[in-house]
Amino acid sequence: DTVKHLEFLHKTLADCQSHPRLKEVQSLAQDIFAQCTPPAFLHPKRVVHGDPKLNNIVFAANQTARCLVDLDTFNRMPLLLELGDAFRSWCCLGAEDDLGATFSVELFDASLSGYCESVAGWLPKRELLDLPKAIETIALELAARFGADALRESYFAWDAKLFSTASEHNLQRAQAQYKLAVSVQKQRAVLQEILERQKL
């Protein structure tokens, strides 16, 4: 629920006025609010995993995907939201908190081709046409969520070996996800071309 997370970031900014990182989060939040216009994905709700990032997929020794783990997020939602999160994870050149991470067109092309080959015959192509926008939206939603937790310091786990506080780590995660969203946005025309030529 992207709108809910944006509203929560607004509320967090108002509630955490004394936090030492407030100005940094405010600056990032302005960019997130300006860029994030959640689209209405008017497609049927499907059963989805809910968190299809790479570390929730178990691979065999021959690199074949065997199964999904971390099943507490199973839900029903438009497939675009699931795939937006999946391709955000699969095609990011860098970790979730890597400020230099970018979105890879090459990985998108390869993974989308493989996905479309697997779902050919049962998934209508119209359910995928807004995929680049969905990827960007999910990255911005995560930036908003990490930004809120940079002030609240109460939800996401953080790496105490690399960061002095939860706030520091989650602010960097928020900044990294925002930069990833910008990377997707800049390449959206190319991503859309790749999507248009897929056969289902």
Side-chain angles (χ1 to χ4, degrees):
D1 190 338
T2 304
V3 172
K4 182 182 80 173
H5 289 298
L6 294 175
E7 290 172 349
F8 185 66
L9 179 56
H10 270 294
K11 185 177 187 307
T12 298
L13 292 169
D15 290 347
C16 300
Q17 290 289 304
S18 62
H19 196 285
R21 294 194 184 275
L22 177 66
K23 288 187 178 179
E24 291 174 278
V25 176
Q26 280 178 327
S27 177
L28 178 61
Q30 288 177 354
D31 292 334
I32 293 170
F33 295 143
Q35 188 164 330
C36 192
T37 53
F41 296 125
L42 302 177
H43 300 296
K45 291 185 177 181
R46 298 186 179 275
V47 175
V48 299
H49 179 273
D51 192 12
K53 57 192 175 189
L54 278 177
N55 58 350
N56 283 336
I57 303 172
V58 176
F59 292 88
N62 66 358
Q63 300 184 354
T64 302
R66 302 298 294 170
C67 67
L68 290 163
V69 296
D70 195 8
L71 307 182
D72 62 305
T73 52
F74 257 68
N75 207 336
R76 289 183 181 274
M77 68 177 76
L79 187 61
L80 268 179
L81 297 175
E82 172 89 339
L83 295 180
D85 195 22
F87 285 96
R88 176 198 65 85
S89 169
W90 303 347
C91 305
C92 178
L93 296 177
E96 195 168 59
D97 57 7
D98 182 352
L99 294 175
T102 58
F103 190 85
S104 168
V105 171
E106 292 77 14
L107 285 176
F108 178 76
D109 193 352
S111 54
L112 181 63
S113 296
Y115 181 82
C116 288
E117 183 179 325
S118 298
V119 300
W122 72 263
L123 182 67
K125 189 170 183 177
R126 64 178 178 275
E127 291 191 39
L128 294 181
L129 292 181
D130 290 324
L131 181 56
K133 178 62 176 174
I135 299 167
E136 181 185 342
T137 298
I138 295 297
L140 288 169
E141 177 184 306
L142 270 173
R145 294 176 65 190
F146 285 131
D149 208 51
L151 299 181
R152 294 198 183 264
E153 303 184 57
S154 61
Y155 184 73
F156 289 103
W158 59 285
D159 190 340
K161 293 179 182 177
L162 297 178
F163 298 89
S164 59
T165 64
S167 179
E168 180 186 6
H169 192 181
N170 284 316
L171 177 59
Q172 183 161 317
R173 283 167 161 162
Q175 292 167 333
Q177 289 302 300
Y178 175 76
K179 289 184 176 183
L180 182 63
V182 171
S183 176
V184 174
Q185 196 279 330
K186 287 180 177 178
Q187 302 177 94
R188 197 191 298 170
V190 176
L191 301 179
Q192 203 69 43
E193 287 176 12
I194 293 170
L195 178 60
E196 295 287 350
R197 68 171 182 254
Q198 300 301 316
K199 294 181 180 180
L200 290 174

